[in-house]
Amino acid sequence: MNATTAIPTMTGQEIVQLTKKHTIFEWSAQSKVDPIPVARAKGIYFWTPEGKRFIDFNSQLMSVNIGHGDERVIDAIAEQAKTLAYANPFMATEPRARLGAKLAEITPGDIDKFFFTNGGAEATENAIKIARFFTGRHKIISRYRSYHGATAGSISLTGDPRRWANEPGIPGVVRVLDPYHGVDRGWESAESSLAMIEEIIQLEGPQTIAGFILETVTGTNGVLIPPDGYMQGVRKLCDKYGILMIADEVMAGFGRTGEWFAINHWRVVPDLICMAKGLTSSYLPLGAVGMRHHIAQHFQDKVFFGGLTYNSHPMGCAAALATIRVYEEDRLIENAEKMGRVMKQLLADLEKRHPSVGEVRNIGLFGIVELVRSRRSKHPMAPFNGTSDEMAALDRFFREQGLYTVVRWNSFYTNPPLCIKEHQLREAFEIIDAGLEITDKAVKD
Ligand SMILES: Cc1ncc(COP(=O)(O)O)c(C=O)c1O
């Protein structure tokens, strides 16, 4: 074997076998995993060691927003590594200084101070700490159709079934329903959903609630785009009861929806904002929680009881700064908005052509297709938290055809890197169009 891993000398099969022998794959029984061996990546594509090309239609984990292999970010990381690879969090470094200032510029309203973490879970963990320190209250509201990370606190905030095996989690989490109730039951109005939330706030005792954490556009639980008025209504409820509004923008942030942050679509300023993924486009691990000015002021005299060895890691901060420059130089947020309009049309065409398509949704380049067995009843193609032969066959088809995306329950995602061009988007949708012949066969009426 080569002394370095930069020049691959193993076959795809050897990589898979050795990886499976000595490492654990997440969220899986190990005998069931069948990973794709990946050797290199560029733009919207990645390749196996044998040279099979995949369109990365999920930006890996909805995170490589600028696309793969951007030399500007790679050079910034290399430069930082040569100059100062690490300084402990009690030091002040130039990349840390510049990144804080840049984030203050692009985040909504008067959010102007940031605590840096290694990823999204630590961002949500620290957000709930901040909400608790600031308000002196302890309960946190979250929603059932949500994912906020896999550490003890963040998995307790998480509403989806990944939480179940991790219970009991941290105390004080109160969950509320979302305005969406699944493909067969559909959407509730913003007004009635907000009334339910207010009722729960009153039943729990508003004076006990520190924060309400919510994904601005829900990610892995279905690209759920809130009805107009919902985010504004949550903001009002939080103001009315002195609860901090915590926007989890880990997946929806950094251009994915055609805005720097998804919350901007509704012109709402949250009290705290969590980010990761697109912050560095995953070139290096980095997350952050940002806070409004008056919340940051609280910690002028009071201790911020939180820390991480890799807080404000200089290489992570340098990667983030270079990534943000790429969004700006290449106008990727605008491209996401523009290509999002093309995606909307392509999704609508799928819905017209394929009886198994029950519902499509997208905002910018954040998209999903929900499949059903019946157009009439909208009975899902796979049950909640389950799969079916048809969904598994569709997954296999995408993989054979070189389209990488996540197939989950009765749906699959359309989340390419934001640098995608129209012809590439159309090429991916041609594969999807062919694949849906499989699920169409299962439709009864
Ligand atoms: C909305 C949201 N919050 C938090 C997280 C957790 O981030 P990480 O996996 O970096 O800990 C994720 C990850 O998918 C996410 O989508």
Side-chain angles (χ1 to χ4, degrees):
M1 198 193 300
N2 205 296
T4 106
T5 50
I7 308 157
T9 56
M10 293 166 76
T11 66
Q13 204 186 5
E14 285 168 344
I15 293 172
V16 168
Q17 275 170 359
L18 195 60
T19 309
K20 285 186 70 169
K21 188 166 178 204
H22 294 292
T23 73
I24 291 277
F25 284 84
E26 55 186 60
W27 307 117
S28 309
Q30 303 301 297
S31 65
K32 300 274 192 307
V33 295
D34 183 17
I36 302 173
V38 184
R40 65 193 176 86
K42 189 80 185 168
I44 68 154
Y45 303 108
F46 65 85
W47 287 265
T48 68
E50 283 70 30
K52 181 177 165 83
R53 192 195 81 171
F54 282 85
I55 298 175
D56 190 350
F57 223 48
N58 200 51
S59 309
Q60 289 303 301
L61 218 43
M62 294 88 157
S63 59
V64 185
N65 291 9
I66 63 166
H68 296 277
D70 194 297
E71 302 286 339
R72 292 163 288 185
V73 180
I74 296 163
D75 290 347
I77 293 170
E79 207 46 51
Q80 188 60 46
K82 279 186 230 154
T83 318
L84 177 70
Y86 176 72
N88 87 32
F90 297 99
M91 313 271 164
T93 67
E94 184 166 336
R96 175 180 180 168
R98 287 190 187 281
L99 182 59
K102 186 68 197 173
L103 290 176
E105 191 188 307
I106 64 173
T107 47
D110 63 343
I111 293 172
D112 72 354
K113 210 158 201 173
F114 301 86
F115 178 73
F116 293 114
T117 65
N118 295 290
E122 288 174 355
T124 59
E125 288 282 349
N126 281 283
I128 61 175
K129 275 185 179 211
I130 293 167
R132 286 172 168 176
F133 295 150
F134 180 78
T135 60
R137 306 170 178 181
H138 74 283
K139 285 183 195 162
I140 306 286
I141 302 177
S142 70
R143 300 187 299 179
Y144 278 102
R145 293 176 196 273
S146 71
Y147 181 71
H148 297 291
T151 51
S154 62
I155 200 69
S156 305
L157 302 172
T158 291
D160 86 16
R162 283 171 278 190
R163 165 176 45 87
W164 299 345
N166 287 290
E167 286 177 318
I170 62 162
V173 180
V174 175
R175 283 172 217 94
V176 298
L177 288 167
D178 305 78
Y180 185 66
H181 300 283
V183 69
D184 41 353
R185 290 183 53 212
W187 290 88
E188 182 181 357
S189 71
E191 201 181 30
S192 74
S193 191
L194 291 164
M196 177 272 304
I197 294 169
E198 183 158 22
E199 187 177 346
I200 292 175
I201 290 172
Q202 281 161 352
L203 292 168
E204 286 292 334
Q207 76 286 355
T208 67
I209 303 169
F212 182 0
I213 185 163
L214 69 175
E215 289 175 72
T216 42
V217 171
T218 300
T220 43
N221 282 275
V223 187
L224 303 177
I225 305 148
D228 282 340
Y230 181 86
M231 280 295 162
Q232 295 91 330
V234 168
R235 177 69 272 178
K236 276 201 194 116
L237 285 177
C238 287
D239 287 340
K240 182 168 170 186
Y241 295 108
I243 297 166
L244 297 196
M245 180 177 179
I246 308 170
D248 184 344
E249 290 264 357
V250 168
M251 194 174 280
F254 290 95
R256 174 61 52 199
T257 69
E259 286 276 352
W260 273 111
F261 296 96
I263 193 77
N264 297 356
H265 289 282
W266 299 281
R267 302 190 189 293
V268 164
V269 179
D271 296 303
L272 303 175
I273 190 165
C274 302
M275 62 190 82
K277 295 187 187 273
L279 172 59
T280 56
S281 278
S282 298
Y283 281 60
L284 283 178
L286 190 76
V289 50
M291 63 204 89
R292 292 181 62 192
H293 189 74
H294 68 283
I295 297 167
Q297 285 302 107
H298 177 84
F299 298 103
Q300 289 299 103
D301 304 319
K302 307 224 169 38
V303 175
F304 177 81
F305 282 100
L308 298 159
T309 297
Y310 300 132
N311 155 17
S312 306
H313 197 289
M315 287 172 62
C317 292
L321 277 168
T323 302
I324 294 170
R325 220 173 297 129
V326 172
Y327 288 115
E328 289 176 334
E329 276 176 20
D330 295 357
R331 305 178 71 81
L332 292 182
I333 318 276
E334 288 88 337
N335 195 55
E337 196 272 328
K338 195 167 139 212
M339 288 301 112
R341 274 185 274 132
V342 178
M343 183 185 279
K344 199 168 280 304
Q345 191 53 53
L346 291 166
L347 286 169
D349 290 348
L350 289 183
E351 197 172 19
K352 249 184 258 141
R353 287 170 43 75
H354 294 281
S356 60
V357 173
E359 185 160 325
V360 294
R361 296 183 288 277
N362 83 301
I363 179 165
L365 289 173
F366 208 5
I368 194 167
V369 177
E370 287 211 56
L371 300 176
V372 295
R373 291 183 184 280
S374 156
R375 268 284 171 97
R376 202 173 34 83
S377 67
K378 295 219 170 169
H379 187 67
M381 188 66 71
F384 178 77
N385 198 33
T387 185
S388 64
D389 290 346
E390 294 85 359
M391 294 307 294
L394 183 65
D395 200 359
R396 277 196 303 277
F397 179 86
F398 288 159
R399 183 162 170 170
E400 280 158 19
Q401 298 298 311
L403 182 84
Y404 172 69
T405 190
V406 169
V407 177
R408 187 177 192 248
W409 307 352
N410 70 318
S411 45
F412 64 88
Y413 294 85
T414 58
N415 301 323
L418 312 186
C419 58
I420 197 163
K421 299 197 166 59
E422 185 166 338
H423 71 92
Q424 296 172 320
L425 200 54
R426 290 188 184 279
E427 187 190 344
F429 269 81
E430 274 166 29
I431 299 172
I432 293 172
D433 189 45
L436 290 174
E437 305 282 328
I438 298 168
T439 47
D440 284 349
K441 290 201 188 95
V443 177
K444 304 232 168 24
D445 52 23

